[in-house]
Amino acid sequence: MGSGLALESPRLQLLLLLVLAAVTGRAVAQENCTCPTNKMTVCSRGGPGGRCQCRAIGSGFEVDCSTLTSKCLLLKARMGAPKRGRGLVRPSEHALVDNDGLYDPDCDHEGRFKARQCNQTSVCWCVNSVGVRRTDKGDLSLRCDELVRTHHILIDLRHRPAARAFNHSDLDAELRRLFHERYQLHPRFVAAVHYEQPTVQIELQQNASQKAAGDVDIADAAYYFERDVKGESLFLGRGDLDMRVRGEPLRVERTLIYYLDERPPQFSMKRLTAGVIAVIVVVVVALIAGVAVLVISNRRKSGKYKKVEIKELGELRKEPSL
C-alpha cells in the first residue's frame, strides 16, 4: 500500500507541475495581450479561441497591431483618452497645414477620414485624406463629394546646433532606414531627403495607384513621426525616438509638415488672413489713386490745349483783313 503511494507521488507531482505551468502560461499570455504599434488601445483576449483583440480608444474600432493605425482613429483616440498626468500634446501652432488643431473626426469602416467633418457640431468642412481642412466651413448642407488624396508630404525639420554639419549621404540613409524599420514605410515612398544646415527636408510621395494592399499610408507614417519628434510616441514599449547619424545625435527643435493634394484646395477670400487682405486693399487703393491722377492730369492738359486754341482763334479774328 505504501509502495503504491510512492509510485503515484511522482505522477501526481508531474500533473501538478503541468497544471501550474498551464495557469502561469495563461496569465503571462494575458499580460502580453497589448498593441505594440498603438498604446491608445484597450486589449483583451475576447477574440476567437482567446485571440488577443485590441480596440482603439474613442471609436472601439479593432486595429491591426502588426502595422500603424490610421491617423483618423488616432485623433479620435486622443479626444477620448482620459486626461491624466501629462496631457497629450495638441498639434503645433506652427503647423501651417492644420490650422484647426485637434478635433473629433468621423472615420469610415476602414478607419480613414470621411470627406466631410463636423466635429460633432452643425459646422462642417471638407478634408483631405490626412484630415486637414481644404474648404471653407459651412453648415450641415455642405457637400463633400469625395475624399481627395494627399499624395505628397514635405516634412521640414530644423535641428539644434551641432559641432559640424551632418554628411548628407549618411543623413539620407539614416532617415530612410528609420521610416522603413520604425514606421514600416516602403523605401520607394521616401522620394528624397534634402539637407542644408540646419534644415532637413523629407519628401514622401505616394499616389493611389502606387499604394498596394498592406502598404503603410504616408499620412500615417508622417503622423507617427511627428508625434515621435514631439516626445509623445504612439508606440508601446519602444521608448522615445533617438535619431543618430554616425553616432551623432540628431535633435530636432522645430517641425513643419506641408501637405499637397491631388487637387488644389477650394478656399474663398474669407480664408485670407487680415494681413494679406490689408495688402490687397492698399494695392487696390493705390491703383485707383493712380488712375484718378492720370485722368485728372489728362483733363487739365486737354483744358489747356482748348484755351490756347480759343486764344489763338480770337487773335486771328482781331487782325485786319488785307
Side-chain angles (χ1 to χ4, degrees):
M1 186 77 174
S3 61
L5 287 173
L7 289 173
E8 291 295 332
S9 181
R11 293 179 182 177
L12 183 61
Q13 291 176 359
L14 179 61
L15 180 61
L16 290 173
L17 287 173
L18 290 174
V19 171
L20 181 62
V23 172
T24 305
R26 185 177 180 82
V28 171
Q30 187 72 23
E31 290 178 359
N32 289 337
C33 182
T34 56
C35 188
T37 58
N38 185 358
K39 64 184 181 183
M40 292 192 293
T41 53
V42 176
C43 302
S44 65
R45 294 196 171 275
R51 179 176 63 86
C52 181
Q53 262 186 342
C54 295
R55 297 185 178 276
I57 295 173
S59 65
F61 194 96
E62 184 177 356
V63 299
D64 181 1
C65 293
S66 66
T67 187
L68 304 187
T69 303
S70 70
K71 182 182 177 182
C72 187
L73 294 178
L74 293 173
L75 285 182
K76 200 163 189 68
R78 290 179 65 187
M79 291 295 294
K83 304 297 185 294
R84 59 186 181 186
R86 183 182 178 189
L88 296 174
V89 177
R90 288 180 176 274
S92 170
E93 62 181 1
H94 300 297
L96 304 179
V97 293
D98 197 1
N99 295 325
D100 297 309
L102 185 64
Y103 65 95
D104 189 1
D106 289 323
C107 310
D108 64 15
H109 66 283
E110 294 181 346
R112 300 296 172 185
F113 289 99
K114 289 185 178 180
R116 193 184 76 164
Q117 297 292 330
C118 301
N119 196 24
Q120 314 304 319
T121 68
S122 59
V123 179
C124 303
W125 60 91
C126 302
V127 300
N128 56 18
S129 59
V130 185
V132 175
R133 182 159 65 96
R134 49 175 281 111
T135 65
D136 292 321
K137 292 183 178 181
D139 54 25
L140 292 173
S141 65
L142 178 68
R143 289 187 55 185
C144 306
D145 295 328
E146 62 177 320
L147 186 68
V148 178
R149 179 170 178 76
T150 298
H151 69 99
H152 186 181
I153 298 177
L154 176 65
I155 304 174
D156 190 283
L157 312 171
R158 184 173 65 198
H159 66 72
R160 295 178 184 175
R164 60 180 182 276
F166 294 101
N167 179 273
H168 189 181
S169 298
D170 294 338
L171 180 64
D172 184 295
E174 172 58 26
L175 291 174
R176 290 177 185 274
R177 182 201 64 78
L178 174 71
F179 273 84
H180 185 213
E181 296 181 4
R182 188 173 178 90
Y183 308 115
Q184 305 176 30
L185 187 67
H186 196 284
R188 72 175 181 274
F189 298 133
V190 182
V193 175
H194 310 284
Y195 180 51
E196 185 175 320
Q197 189 182 19
T199 302
V200 182
Q201 291 183 329
I202 308 167
E203 287 192 80
L204 307 179
Q205 291 186 359
Q206 184 186 64
N207 296 324
S209 59
Q210 296 173 319
K211 187 177 182 297
D215 281 339
V216 169
D217 196 292
I218 58 174
D220 300 334
Y223 188 62
Y224 267 76
F225 177 75
E226 180 186 7
R227 297 295 304 281
D228 269 343
V229 169
K230 292 179 178 179
E232 295 288 341
S233 178
L234 293 164
F235 293 108
L236 181 66
R238 290 199 190 183
D240 294 334
L241 179 65
D242 182 22
M243 290 188 290
R244 292 181 178 271
V245 181
R246 293 282 186 176
E248 292 293 326
L250 176 63
R251 298 188 178 92
V252 178
E253 64 180 8
R254 187 216 65 187
T255 307
L256 296 175
I257 303 182
Y258 302 89
Y259 302 100
L260 181 63
D261 297 342
E262 291 181 342
R263 292 204 302 272
Q266 300 173 335
F267 289 114
S268 66
M269 288 292 289
K270 292 186 293 184
R271 175 73 176 179
L272 296 174
T273 62
V276 175
I277 293 175
V279 171
I280 293 175
V281 170
V282 169
V283 171
V284 170
V285 170
L287 288 174
I288 293 174
V291 171
V293 169
L294 288 175
V295 170
I296 293 172
S297 177
N298 287 335
R299 285 183 176 178
R300 286 180 176 176
K301 289 180 180 179
S302 177
K304 288 181 179 179
Y305 291 149
K306 287 181 179 180
K307 288 180 180 179
V308 170
E309 290 176 356
I310 293 172
K311 183 178 179 181
E312 290 179 349
L313 183 59
E315 290 177 350
L316 289 173
R317 288 177 177 174
K318 290 179 180 178
E319 290 181 359
S321 58
L322 297 175

